[in-house]
């Protein structure tokens, strides 16, 4: 079955600390993976995406993600978190049918 | 450039009433989507459309109806609202289908069914 798992429902980090949000997927082929961010009261915005090539991809706002085929993972990282990064983060993938499958999201809280 | 807009942003209705949520995009994107977002469930696809007059069911279509007579509009109708349909609804669009489609999301409509 096609699915996305974000194991951490809620993560709290201190401002300036590093961040890693986990994402695992189940898909029959190489997926087109993405991370979206949803700020409070807003719609979703694309952070970054991966389909092929370099397994470490850079996104907006200083985020990066690494694709690891052997682990079926696509974890999101940021070296130093800012208070404005507090939001909900969604991992997912696209299918050939033009649809997307999203994980349940991880809520990030940033402590001052 | 307005992008993708949704109306109303907030709606309170009563059980059994018909409600229509509007979605409008100015990019002439082929694909449009409706999702609902609930705590613990992330985003779930209700319906999507590959082009005008072409719609298809998503993961949770029961109780919803869509139409797409024009490329830019994709209204979602709850024919007889139920309390379980209390949720935040997001509309999205993408230029095309396939693997490389980036979806652009509207700001959402918060619907409460009493």
């Amino acid at each position: 079955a096609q699915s996305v798992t974000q194991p951490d429902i809620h993560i709290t980090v201190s401002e300036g600390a590093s961040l890693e949000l986990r994402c695992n997927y189940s898909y029959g082929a190489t997926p087109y993976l993405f991370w979206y961010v949803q700020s409070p009261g807003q719609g979703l915005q694309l952070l970054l995406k991966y389909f092929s090539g370099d397994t470490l991809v850079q996104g907006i706002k200083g985020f990066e993600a690494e694709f690891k085929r052997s682990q079926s993972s696509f974890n999101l990282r940021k070296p130093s978190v800012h208070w404005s990064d507090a939001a909900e983060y969604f991992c997912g993938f696209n299918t050939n049918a033009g649809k997307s499958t999203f994980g349940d999201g991880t809520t990030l809280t940033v402590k001052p | 450039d307005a992008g993708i807009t949704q109306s109303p942003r907030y709606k309170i209705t009563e059980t059994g009433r018909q409600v229509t949520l509007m979605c409008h995009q100015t990019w002439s994107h082929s694909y449009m989507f409706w999702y609902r977002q609930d705590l613990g469930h992330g985003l779930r696809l209700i319906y999507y459309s590959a082009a005008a007059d072409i719609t298809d069911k998503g993961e949770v279509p029961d109780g919803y109806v869509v139409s797409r007579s024009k490329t830019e509009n994709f209204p979602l109708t709850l024919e007889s609202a139920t309390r379980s349909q209390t949720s935040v609804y997001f509309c999205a669009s993408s230029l095309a289908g396939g693997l490389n489609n980036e979806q652009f999301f509207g700001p959402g409509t918060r619907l409460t069914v009493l």
Side-chain angles (χ1 to χ4, degrees), chain A residues 27 30-32 34 36 38 41-46 49 51 88 90 94-105, chain B residues 9 31 33 35 37 40-43 45 48 57-58 88 90 94 96-108:
Chain A
Y27 188 64
T30 300
Y32 185 98
F34 55 74
Y36 279 84
Q38 182 183 26
Q42 304 294 315
L44 279 71
Q45 180 185 20
L46 183 68
K49 57 189 178 182
F51 180 59
E88 189 161 17
F90 293 93
N94 290 341
T95 70
N96 275 319
K99 297 186 290 185
S100 300
T101 297
F102 292 84
D104 288 345
Chain B
R9 293 293 312 278
Y31 276 71
F33 308 84
Y35 296 91
Q37 184 180 32
H41 290 284
L43 286 163
L45 183 65
Y48 70 105
K57 296 178 180 178
V88 180
F90 286 99
S94 65
L99 290 175
N100 197 25
N101 64 307
E102 175 183 348
Q103 293 189 24
F104 296 84
F105 284 80

Side-chain angles (χ1 to χ4, degrees), chain A residues 14-105:
Chain A
S14 298
E15 190 167 16
S18 63
L19 170 70
E20 183 169 28
L21 302 182
R22 295 183 291 165
C23 173
N24 294 95
Y25 66 89
S26 174
Y27 188 64
T30 300
Y32 185 98
L33 294 155
F34 55 74
W35 277 95
Y36 279 84
V37 59
Q38 182 183 26
S39 298
Q42 304 294 315
L44 279 71
Q45 180 185 20
L46 183 68
L47 275 178
L48 47 76
K49 57 189 178 182
Y50 170 80
F51 180 59
S52 64
D54 192 345
T55 56
L56 185 64
V57 293
Q58 303 297 319
I60 62 172
K61 305 185 180 187
F63 285 91
E64 65 178 26
E66 185 171 15
F67 172 64
K68 292 186 178 180
R69 185 189 304 275
S70 61
Q71 298 177 19
S72 297
S73 69
F74 189 55
N75 294 348
L76 182 71
R77 301 194 293 247
K78 187 169 185 178
S80 177
V81 170
H82 188 262
W83 64 266
S84 61
D85 293 324
E88 189 161 17
Y89 293 80
F90 293 93
C91 177
F93 59 77
N94 290 341
T95 70
N96 275 319
K99 297 186 290 185
S100 300
T101 297
F102 292 84
D104 288 345

